[in-house]
Each structure stands twice: as C-alpha cells, then as structure tokens.
Amino acid sequence: MDGAERIVVHSGALMGRSRAEALAIAGNSLRAILRACDEAGFGNVTLCPETMGKINQLGDLDEVLELCRLDERLLPCVDFGHLYARSLGALNGADACRRMLDRMADALGEARAGRFHSHFSKIEFTPGGGEKRHLRFQDEGWGPEFEPLAEEIVRRGWSPVIICESAGTQSEDALTMKRQYRQMTEGRK
C-alpha cells in the first residue's frame, strides 16, 4: 500500500446524532466508497479519515482509528493541531505524542501505524469549541510543537507522510519541519 494514492476525507458530522450513530454512518459510507473504488478499478486508493479540530465533530483519534480498522486501505490522517485544539491544549509535548502513537500502534499494528498520514500546524482554539484557526510556527502561545512528534517518529523508525498546514507560511514551516527531522535522523546514526 505504500505506493497507493491517498485521499484525505473528513470523518463525518454529528448533525444531531450520538457519536456512536455518526460513527456507524461514517463506517457504512467508507465501506461504500471502497466498494465503488474497487468497481471502478481504483482498488489502489487509500482513504485517510482525518482527525477533526472541533469538539462537536466526529473525528477524535479513537473514532478515526475505529474507522481505519474497517479495511486495510484506510489509514488515519492524524492532524496533531486538531487534536491539540479539541483537547484544549492538553495534547502537546513528548508524553502526549508517545501516547497518541502508542494508541495508533495498538489499534492498527506497528507497521501500518508507522505509515500514517498527517497534517501539522499550530492551532488556536476557543475555550469550549476546539479549533478556531490554523497558525504559523512563529505564532506564540499556541501549539502543538513539531519537535516532540518528530523525535518520537524518529525513535520508532516510522515513515509517515506529513503535510504542513500552517496559515500563509506553509513553505517556510515545512522546511523547518524537514530540517528538524533531518537533524534528528542524522543524530541517531
């Protein structure tokens, strides 16, 4: 599956439903999409349900991992900024990164989890709702920081795809991420 095309999809909406009902609908929808891909000759497509940044949206890490267990062609798109926002800043730092990656490995197995898809940026959040807006790495007072995540990925030897989603400074922040990652990998040799 490493050479497969990846398509990021939003996990689903609650729309007045319970989280369990919304999760069941999202699962049925993903299965139908995979069947349609197979019938159209696109069995190589990997769908990546994304973790969402607002508390009232379907798409916390456990919900996304549950969806990904439905089929091997489902890989999580873990947006660490979204998880930081929906946790109101609690999911930040080395311990949080370790716990999140451990949950992914427990749910999907080490090899599959190690190929996850990711979006990364700092995120501003509101006190009761989660994500407000994407920020730049230079913006102070908000997280998460990339370095603890990169350290944990390097320590595990994982090879995820990480897309920078900084607001207006994607190129610069992506280069910062690349530099930090390379320094860590070179330091382990």
Side-chain angles (χ1 to χ4, degrees):
M1 287 262 125
D2 285 339
E5 296 293 326
R6 293 180 179 196
I7 299 171
V8 175
V9 296
H10 285 185
S11 305
L14 296 179
M15 298 176 64
R17 296 179 181 94
S18 71
R19 297 193 87 75
E21 291 169 324
L23 192 60
I25 291 168
N28 290 336
S29 296
L30 285 171
R31 282 191 281 272
I33 292 167
L34 289 170
R35 277 193 305 276
C37 287
D38 289 341
E39 291 166 6
F42 297 109
N44 65 322
V45 170
T46 298
L47 298 178
C48 302
E50 183 178 6
T51 57
M52 304 305 294
K54 294 192 186 292
I55 294 168
N56 64 355
Q57 293 174 313
L58 186 67
D60 67 18
L61 182 58
D62 290 327
E63 290 164 342
V64 166
L65 293 173
E66 187 170 332
L67 290 172
C68 289
R69 282 185 280 224
L70 297 174
D71 191 284
E72 290 290 317
R73 292 171 291 169
L74 298 169
L75 276 180
C77 175
V78 182
D79 188 315
F80 290 91
H82 284 170
L83 295 175
Y84 166 84
R86 74 184 294 138
S87 74
L88 306 178
L91 291 177
N92 194 20
D95 287 339
C97 290
R98 195 172 306 110
R99 286 191 314 270
M100 288 184 280
L101 297 183
D102 284 347
R103 284 203 335 246
M104 292 165 56
D106 289 345
L108 304 175
E110 194 80 22
R112 190 167 161 215
R115 299 182 289 109
F116 73 95
H117 192 89
S118 180
H119 293 165
F120 196 93
S121 71
K122 287 186 170 184
I123 301 260
E124 179 181 353
F125 59 85
T126 61
E131 176 186 3
K132 180 176 180 181
R133 65 186 172 124
H134 288 247
L135 301 170
R136 306 165 300 171
F137 278 17
Q138 68 191 31
D139 292 323
E140 298 290 325
W142 302 99
E145 298 298 329
F146 179 68
E147 209 167 332
L149 175 63
E151 287 174 356
E152 189 60 23
I153 289 169
V154 168
R155 186 186 71 76
R156 292 169 188 254
W158 286 11
S159 300
V161 171
I162 301 176
I163 307 296
C164 180
E165 286 197 328
S166 294
T169 56
Q170 288 178 332
S171 298
E172 297 91 336
D173 291 353
L175 283 173
T176 297
M177 291 165 59
K178 183 177 180 178
R179 274 189 230 103
Q180 287 177 349
Y181 177 80
R182 279 200 173 151
Q183 287 173 348
M184 288 174 206
T185 56
E186 289 169 4
R188 292 188 64 86
K189 290 180 183 177

